[in-house]
Amino acid sequence: PVGPAVVWAPLYLLGTFFDWIGRTASWVPAAKPGQLGLTGAYGRSALLSSYLVAAVGLLAVHIRLRREFGAAVALATSVLLFGATSLAWYAIYEPAMSHAASFGVVAIFIIVSDRWLADRLTPARATMLGALFSVVALVRPQDAVVGGFPIALLLQRSQRLALTPSGIGRSALWAAALVLALGRWVE
């Protein structure tokens, strides 16, 4: 899949940098033509990236649950989320598929949305949420439906945040237009 390449890129580029150093210093043999960037180390960096993104998402969920419900509930939920779902399989045995990376970015997006919308939504936070949502939709386009989560939070908290219904409606229309445009671009 192409989508997870967004989250694979940092470790892949770091591996490329170290590979370049190794080849420059002659610690690593020269790559065969057409194989540069396709060897085992590059593949492992992508797989490790999926695992790390899933782990960060699981850690974020655990921390959020620990604040809300306490240590025992957070631990039990985190263990069950990892072991009783297909997350363990996709994170450990099939990290080349988009599922583990998808879990991580969706978990982070939902937790960040909840946290940032609990206070005051600033233009900078709204922009960062939009960027994070773009990563969610790029990693796995089916996950674009979680874009409705911040909209639901805004509607729920509109009285406390002093948002007008027309302002929420305009924001929802812009978000829908972004999802549609992104969907056409990803195709």
Side-chain angles (χ1 to χ4, degrees):
V2 176
V6 174
V7 295
W8 293 346
L11 274 183
Y12 187 89
L13 291 173
L14 187 64
T16 302
F17 174 71
F18 285 118
D19 186 49
W20 175 78
I21 289 174
R23 291 184 197 294
T24 303
S26 298
W27 298 331
V28 177
K32 295 177 184 172
Q35 286 189 337
L36 190 59
L38 300 174
T39 57
Y42 290 97
R44 283 189 290 281
S45 70
L47 302 180
L48 181 61
S49 296
S50 280
Y51 176 78
L52 289 176
V53 170
V56 168
L58 190 60
L59 181 64
V61 168
H62 179 78
I63 290 169
R64 175 72 171 103
L65 289 171
R66 192 175 176 127
R67 272 193 212 122
E68 272 310 302
F69 302 106
V73 170
L75 179 63
T77 304
S78 299
V79 167
L80 287 173
L81 186 59
F82 187 73
T85 67
S86 58
L87 181 59
W89 174 262
Y90 287 112
I92 297 169
Y93 297 108
E94 289 291 341
M97 296 182 78
S98 62
H99 298 68
S102 170
F103 167 79
V105 295
V106 166
I108 293 166
F109 175 74
I110 288 174
I111 289 169
V112 167
S113 296
D114 182 49
R115 182 163 185 141
W116 284 358
L117 294 174
D119 299 327
R120 185 169 169 258
L121 184 62
T122 64
R125 284 182 173 180
T127 303
M128 290 299 295
L129 278 178
L132 192 53
F133 173 71
S134 296
V135 171
V136 166
L138 280 173
V139 168
R140 194 155 188 240
Q142 297 93 327
D143 292 337
V145 333
V146 301
F149 181 74
I151 295 169
L153 282 178
L154 281 174
L155 290 172
Q156 178 190 17
R157 298 170 180 171
S158 62
Q159 296 290 33
R160 193 174 43 149
L161 297 174
L163 297 171
T164 63
S166 64
I168 293 171
R170 279 194 309 271
S171 297
L173 286 175
W174 279 110
L178 172 67
V179 167
L180 290 174
L182 186 62
R184 299 296 283 166
W185 179 73
V186 170
E187 282 180 1

